[in-house]
Amino acid sequence: MDFSKLKGKIYFENRFIDNKRAKIHVLNHSLHFASAVFEGIRVYNKKILFLDDHLQRLMQSSKMMGLKINLSLKQLKKIHKQIIKINKIKNGYIRPLIYRSSHSMSPDTSKCKSLLCVATWKWPTLFATNLGIKLDLSKYPKLNNKIYPIAAKSSGSYQVSVISRIESTKKNFDDCLMLDLKKNIAETSACNIFWIKNDTVYTSKEHSILNGITRKAVIEICKIKNIQFKKGDYKIKNILKADCAFVTGTAAEIQSIKSIKNIIFKKNNKIFNLLKESYESLKKNSPDKVLKIRKIL
């Protein structure tokens, strides 16, 4: 898909305009210095899933990256609801982006303005397979929160992910597993990772990952369903001994992992199936916050 040729409207510089007119100059500061922040938000049956959580993280990311957007949470929610209505999106994806203007070509941002655009389109899941994805092992590590504001969903934090994904795709893998600077399991190029061993769900700590909204939902489901859950620093050997492994993300939803390198995981697991079924229930109800899923499940 060529996203520059999307039909419909985009919210761009305080108004809804035709997609083809939403242009940014080649000397845009965020294009050169990777200082934009964004979100990926799902729409199911005309309802936006976890909208409050996504927009609150967008605002937090903006603050961490020194971007200033003079809109309240209420105003942002109105724009997002308007964009799916205008474009008649029943099931799809929303991409809000906050970026800097072209008022600087150096790290100095004192003259730059912060701008917002919001686009939406029909989009299936990130991985077009029901058989599980195949993961390579990235040679590049994930940064941690002592080096970079990892909690911000920013364009700059995806540089290594993009390179790693390119190299994995060349080797016929769907994606790659990335380790942190201490060789602990972090996440994939764009998803959080979980695994199951002896009826216990495991995942990595947050110091070297983006704490995903879907990740938070899976952890909350574990609490609600009384599934034993552990979070920590784990080596690659831990996940390779797992009964089942899977990734989570707004675009990927909950996707099973078929293999990591040459290690193949089981296809059927009762806990994974329960988590998957629970998430499908959330999609039907589309609560605006993760903490509201207790009323649904």
Side-chain angles (χ1 to χ4, degrees):
M1 179 189 292
D2 183 349
F3 288 94
S4 69
K5 295 180 180 179
L6 282 175
K7 295 181 180 180
K9 303 286 186 179
I10 284 182
Y11 182 85
F12 185 80
E13 297 187 4
N14 300 318
R15 57 199 177 112
F16 294 96
I17 64 173
D18 290 339
N19 175 77
K20 62 184 179 181
R21 294 176 55 212
K23 306 294 184 182
I24 297 175
H25 198 275
V26 293
L27 295 182
N28 171 266
H29 189 275
S30 289
L31 177 62
H32 289 255
F33 293 94
S35 56
V37 298
F38 64 96
E39 281 293 320
I41 311 171
R42 279 285 184 187
V43 179
Y44 298 107
N45 197 27
K46 300 181 182 179
K47 296 180 181 179
I48 305 174
L49 181 61
F50 302 139
L51 179 58
D52 280 20
D53 286 330
H54 280 289
L55 294 183
Q56 285 170 353
R57 187 173 65 180
L58 181 68
M59 296 170 79
Q60 178 188 9
S61 296
S62 299
K63 185 176 181 180
M64 294 176 74
M65 298 302 296
L67 291 153
K68 297 179 181 179
I69 193 74
N70 296 318
L71 292 169
S72 66
L73 178 62
K74 184 177 180 180
Q75 289 171 316
L76 285 172
K77 288 176 69 172
K78 182 179 179 180
I79 292 167
H80 283 67
K81 290 178 179 180
Q82 283 180 301
I83 196 74
I84 64 169
K85 185 176 182 179
I86 289 171
N87 288 298
K88 299 179 180 179
I89 299 294
K90 182 178 180 180
N91 296 293
Y93 196 77
I94 311 175
R95 169 56 53 84
L97 176 80
I98 298 175
Y99 60 99
R100 289 193 169 92
S101 63
S102 304
H103 290 81
S104 172
M105 274 291 104
S106 79
D108 175 27
T109 63
S110 58
K111 303 296 183 182
C112 289
K113 300 176 182 178
S114 298
L115 305 169
L116 168 71
C117 70
V118 184
T120 185
W121 59 88
K122 297 176 182 178
W123 204 27
T125 55
L126 182 62
F127 301 105
T129 178
N130 294 320
L131 303 175
I133 58 173
K134 298 184 293 182
L135 298 184
D136 188 19
L137 187 62
S138 173
K139 66 180 181 182
Y140 297 107
K142 288 286 293 187
L143 301 180
N144 62 37
N145 54 18
K146 293 183 179 180
I147 299 172
Y148 187 84
I150 198 74
K153 190 174 176 67
S154 69
S155 55
S157 64
Y158 281 87
Q159 291 173 340
V160 176
S161 294
V162 170
I163 296 169
S164 297
R165 181 72 177 267
I166 290 171
E167 293 191 355
S168 298
T169 302
K170 286 179 180 178
K171 294 185 283 184
N172 294 318
F173 290 94
D174 299 299
D175 202 346
C176 59
L177 172 61
M178 305 183 74
L179 307 180
D180 67 18
L181 292 170
K182 294 183 178 180
K183 297 188 182 301
N184 295 312
I185 295 166
E187 58 186 351
T188 69
S189 68
C191 297
N192 296 127
I193 192 163
F194 292 81
W195 61 98
I196 302 168
K197 180 67 177 178
N198 296 332
D199 295 334
T200 299
V201 176
Y202 294 86
T203 195
S204 49
K205 288 184 176 179
E206 291 85 3
H207 55 70
S208 296
I209 68 168
L210 180 72
N211 189 8
I213 306 299
T214 310
R215 177 181 186 269
K216 292 179 180 179
V218 167
I219 292 171
E220 190 68 14
I221 293 169
C222 286
K223 294 176 182 177
I224 295 168
K225 301 295 185 180
N226 294 316
I227 299 170
Q228 190 168 351
F229 170 80
K230 292 184 179 181
K231 179 169 59 177
D233 289 326
Y234 301 103
K235 302 298 182 185
I236 185 70
K237 64 180 181 181
N238 295 107
I239 194 170
L240 295 182
K241 295 178 181 178
D243 301 322
C244 170
F246 60 97
V247 297
T248 64
T250 300
E253 299 181 345
I254 298 179
Q255 173 65 254
S256 63
I257 297 172
K258 181 179 180 179
S259 62
I260 298 177
K261 298 295 281 190
N262 61 342
I263 302 298
I264 299 175
F265 298 99
K266 295 178 182 178
K267 293 179 66 174
N268 193 31
N269 181 278
K270 63 180 182 180
I271 292 178
F272 173 77
N273 292 339
L274 177 58
L275 294 172
K276 184 94 170 173
E277 290 168 7
S278 298
Y279 194 73
E280 291 298 316
S281 296
L282 300 182
K283 287 164 56 177
K284 292 177 182 178
N285 291 274
S286 293
D288 54 8
K289 295 180 181 178
V290 169
L291 292 179
K292 288 187 177 182
I293 69 177
R294 289 183 175 270
K295 296 180 180 180
I296 298 169
L297 302 178

